[in-house]
């Protein structure tokens, strides 16, 4: 019976050693995973901040594009100015003929 008991104690000791080593391995993997998680969270925060900045810049570009005159606006302005110049010429002509 003593030999059987010693054999069981040896088996339990061996299994305890294996479990202890497995626990160490899992603990090391957990530490690595937590470190990676923290790095990913930092990267996520940085990307979120960058996204906010770029979204604001895009909105500014959209607003600037909306208020920037286009070629049609230039043509309309030229047409209005031409009409005004013609009207001024008529007024000057009328003023000079009336005298």
């Amino acid at each position: 019976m003593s030999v059987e008991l010693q054999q069981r104690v040896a088996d339990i000791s061996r299994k305890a050693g294996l479990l202890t080593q497995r626990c160490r391995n899992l603990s090391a993997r957990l530490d690595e995973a937590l470190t990676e998680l923290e790095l990913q969270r930092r990267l996520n925060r940085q990307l979120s901040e960058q996204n906010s900045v770029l979204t604001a810049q895009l909105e500014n570009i959209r607003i600037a594009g909306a208020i920037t005159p286009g070629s049609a606006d230039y043509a309309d302005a030229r047409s209005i100015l031409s009409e005004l110049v013609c009207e001024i010429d008529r007024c000057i002509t009328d003023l000079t003929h009336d005298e």
Side-chain angles (χ1 to χ4, degrees):
M1 183 101 163
S2 172
V3 173
E4 185 180 317
L5 183 60
Q6 287 177 347
Q7 182 64 33
R8 289 186 101 185
V9 168
D11 285 344
I12 290 172
S13 178
R14 182 180 54 81
K15 288 179 182 179
L18 290 173
L19 288 173
T20 302
Q21 184 59 41
R22 184 168 182 200
C23 181
R24 285 187 197 122
N25 291 343
L26 288 174
S27 180
R29 287 179 58 194
L30 176 62
D31 289 342
E32 290 172 4
L34 290 174
T35 301
E36 179 65 25
L37 177 63
E38 183 58 32
L39 290 173
Q40 291 299 322
R41 284 181 176 163
R42 285 182 193 156
L43 178 61
N44 188 22
R45 280 192 298 272
Q46 289 172 349
L47 290 175
S48 179
E49 290 168 3
Q50 185 179 15
N51 185 25
S52 296
V53 169
L54 291 174
T55 300
Q57 287 177 349
L58 178 61
E59 185 62 24
N60 290 340
I61 289 171
R62 285 183 179 155
I63 290 170
I67 61 174
T68 302
S71 60
D73 295 328
Y74 289 122
D76 290 344
R78 280 191 206 108
S79 173
I80 291 170
L81 287 174
S82 293
E83 290 175 18
L84 289 174
V85 167
C86 289
E87 189 174 332
I88 290 169
D89 284 344
R90 280 193 299 270
C91 288
I92 290 172
T93 303
D94 288 345
L95 286 174
T96 56
H97 286 309
D98 287 344
E99 291 178 7

